[in-house]
Every structure is written in C-alpha cells, then in structure tokens.
Amino acid sequence: MPTAPMNIRFLETFVWLAKLKNFRLTAEKLHTTQAAVSSRIATLEQDFGVRLFDRGAREVALTTDGSKALVYAERIVKLMREMKEDMSARDNYSGVLRIGVIESIVHSWFPDLIGRIHKLFPQLEIEIASDTTIHLREQFSKGDLDLVLQAEPVIAPNIRNLKLCELPMRWVGSSKLEIGSETLSLSDLAAFPLVSFARNSGPHTIIEQLFSNSERGSLHINCITSVATMIRLVSDGFGVAVVPPAIIQRELNDGSLQLLRVDADFPALLLMASFRNDPENALTETIASIAQQTASEFALNWGPEIARLPAEPLELPFPPA
C-alpha cells in the first residue's frame, strides 16, 4: 500500500534526471535546488521500493529497475502535458457529459477521476450511469452515453478505445470458510457456490470455460449484476467469487474476506475508455485522457497486485466510418 499519492513533479524530476544524468543540470532545468531533486528521487525510490539510479562522481545512471520505471513515468508526464494543453480553454466547456462506468471502476479510482473533472471543468455537469459492460455498450451505441469506462472495447466505425489499466483478478472467500491457508483446485472451488459478475460478462465467460470439464456435473453459477451485492454475499460466507482485489480493500483489511490460493490463473480485467472520434468536440477525448492518467497513477500507487499498466499499444485501432 502506498505511503502517499504519486506526485507528478517527482515523476517529472525523475524523467529529467534520467535524460540529463546530472543533479545540478536537472535542478537548473526545473528551477529548483539540487537538494530538492535529490529529495524527490529518494522519495520515489522509497515509494517504489527500488533503487532508480547508480550515483557516480559526476553523473548518475539508471538501474535496471530505473529503466523499467522510466517507461511508465514518461507516459504519465506526457499525458499530464497533453492534458494541460487541452485545459487552456476549459472554462468554455459547459453543458452535460454522460459517462457510463462499470462498478469495478466505481469502487477503485473513479472518485479520483470525478474530482479531477470537477476541478478542471467547473461549468461541466456530469451524468453517471453505473451498469454492466453489456448494458453500457448498448446505451453507448444508442447515443445515450458520450463516454464509457468498461471492460471491453467497442468495435464500431469511428469509435476510439483507450486502454486504462488492468485489474488482476483473484478468487476470494469469507474468512468463515477457513480455506485461505491451503492451495485449492478448481474442483475444490466447485464444492462451494460460485458468485459471478453478470451473465455473459467477460469474467462470467471465463468461469464457464474454466469449469467446463468440472467433474461435479452441472455447475450452478450465481450471476449478480451488483458488485456490492456480490461482496456482501461472499463476505457472509455464501460462496466464493473471483473479483479484483482493488475493489475489496476494506474487506481484506477488516478480515471479512481473504484471498484464496488457487492452482489455476485467472486473466486480469482490462479496463477501456470508449468514445466517438469527433474532431469538432474534443471534450470526450480529453476526459478519456484524464481517465487514462488517473488509472495509470492508481496502478503506480498501488502496485501490480492491485492494478498494473496495460501493455502497448495504449489505443486500439478503430475502423473508419
């Protein structure tokens, strides 16, 4: 768990030090002191738990971990720079923006996103529809939503899809079941009621595939559209579920839920922002970029067990009209 929110200035300092390889030159570039540069790098190293630079007499050099971190830092700094450029006329934005969002995002980094939008666009009204990916895509295709944050790309003419982040998925169960200390097989899990996201969702489809050869015969999967209801049922000991740990931090901390060790991997949940490619109205693209930045910072703050940055490319190709 992070000690403090990621600071963009610190990441910018890291990027410039990697380029200039010198504390004095970096301090001059950023109009600060060498002590401030050193302090920012030390804070990043403490937060990441790795050494970013090897210090020499006159220059510094990136470590292996530093080189890996630089890729992500440059991405976030670039997004911030692009966002600032788009914000130059933000006070002119008014009206209503309709955003559809799945609950896995609502229960993780969405509050941070809404806070940023309200700060950057004080005249903009936000309407939020929280639903399943399937229903959000239907509403989006009918023109009822301007932007959707969900778990699958929308493949249609002139629709753009930006990757946001990946949420690892883990099997969880109530501490009342007392099964957290052993390694479980799929057959072991099948002994319990299975609680799943909505029918025909990505996670539900994967569960059906995993248990397609179950020796227990007909498997009953309890499909629930409400994430809050899923968490409550599993916390009370009804059954087991596979969910992103990002959305159950409170339950993990208070001990009502525990992560299960299972001998079969479950794919991560890839989160997407989908919006219409409209050069005359760049607002949705700007908001999608802010969502991408917010998700990236969430991943860097919490670490790969909770969220991670998606693999390149960050934008999926879209078919022309």
Side-chain angles (χ1 to χ4, degrees):
M1 184 177 297
T3 57
M6 188 67 62
N7 191 309
I8 292 294
R9 286 191 307 156
F10 289 15
L11 290 179
E12 186 179 20
T13 301
F14 169 46
V15 170
W16 277 110
L17 183 58
K19 291 180 179 179
L20 300 177
K21 299 180 173 55
N22 181 280
F23 280 92
R24 180 182 61 80
L25 295 178
T26 302
E28 292 176 357
K29 175 67 180 179
L30 298 176
H31 305 289
T32 187
T33 64
Q34 294 186 51
V37 172
S38 179
S39 176
R40 293 174 189 178
I41 299 302
T43 298
L44 287 177
E45 290 181 327
Q46 181 178 1
D47 286 346
F48 289 144
V50 298
R51 187 163 47 84
L52 299 173
F53 293 98
D54 286 324
R55 275 74 166 172
R58 294 187 176 182
E59 289 190 345
V60 297
L62 285 167
T63 63
T64 300
D65 288 324
S67 296
K68 294 178 181 178
L70 180 62
V71 175
Y72 302 126
E74 287 179 330
R75 185 185 302 175
I76 291 178
V77 171
K78 179 176 180 289
L79 283 171
M80 175 60 75
R81 183 172 61 251
E82 292 174 351
M83 186 179 73
K84 286 182 177 179
E85 292 173 355
D86 285 339
M87 294 306 103
S88 57
R90 63 178 180 266
D91 288 337
N92 295 329
Y93 286 113
S94 60
V96 178
L97 181 71
R98 303 163 299 174
I99 302 177
V101 57
I102 60 173
E103 283 194 83
S104 292
I105 296 177
V106 170
H107 290 279
S108 51
W109 48 266
F110 192 65
D112 292 336
L113 173 61
I114 289 298
R116 289 183 173 185
I117 294 174
H118 280 300
K119 183 177 180 180
L120 294 169
F121 303 99
Q123 305 302 319
L124 187 65
E125 295 182 23
I126 305 294
E127 290 184 0
I128 300 169
S130 180
D131 209 327
T132 64
T133 290
I134 295 174
H135 290 159
L136 292 177
R137 291 178 65 185
E138 292 174 353
Q139 295 177 59
F140 181 68
S141 65
K142 292 188 296 185
D144 295 336
L145 296 172
D146 302 307
L147 170 71
V148 285
L149 309 175
Q150 30 73 43
E152 294 178 7
V154 177
I155 307 301
N158 282 349
I159 300 299
R160 295 178 59 185
N161 296 279
L162 297 185
K163 294 181 181 180
L164 301 176
C165 68
E166 293 181 350
L167 299 183
M169 300 284 283
R170 291 287 303 274
W171 288 96
V172 299
S174 171
S175 55
K176 301 174 184 177
L177 300 180
E178 299 181 349
I179 56 174
S181 61
E182 52 188 297
T183 300
L184 305 172
S185 65
L186 293 178
S187 296
D188 294 328
L189 291 177
F192 300 92
L194 300 182
V195 180
S196 167
F197 288 99
R199 188 171 302 280
N200 298 323
S201 65
H204 172 258
T205 301
I206 294 171
I207 290 175
E208 286 193 321
Q209 294 171 350
L210 285 175
F211 290 91
S212 60
N213 298 320
S214 174
E215 299 176 356
R216 301 184 63 85
S218 179
L219 187 72
H220 184 63
I221 304 174
N222 303 275
C223 298
I224 301 175
T225 59
S226 168
V227 169
T229 302
M230 286 180 60
I231 294 173
R232 177 60 185 271
L233 284 175
V234 178
S235 296
D236 287 346
F238 172 75
V240 297
V242 59
V243 299
I247 70 175
I248 55 169
Q249 287 301 296
R250 180 176 61 185
E251 290 76 16
L252 292 175
N253 289 335
D254 66 24
S256 58
L257 283 179
Q258 56 184 342
L259 300 177
L260 305 180
R261 291 186 289 182
V262 179
D263 62 6
D265 293 331
F266 202 97
L269 190 67
L270 175 59
L271 303 179
M272 309 289 301
S274 301
F275 57 96
R276 295 172 185 84
N277 185 46
D278 183 3
E280 299 299 322
N281 182 8
L283 178 60
T284 52
E285 179 180 359
T286 299
I287 299 300
S289 296
I290 298 172
Q292 193 175 59
Q293 179 197 340
T294 304
S296 297
E297 291 181 13
F298 179 82
L300 287 174
N301 274 322
W302 285 91
E305 295 300 316
I306 301 298
R308 55 178 178 255
L309 298 179
E312 299 284 1
L314 292 181
E315 180 173 356
L316 299 182
F318 63 93

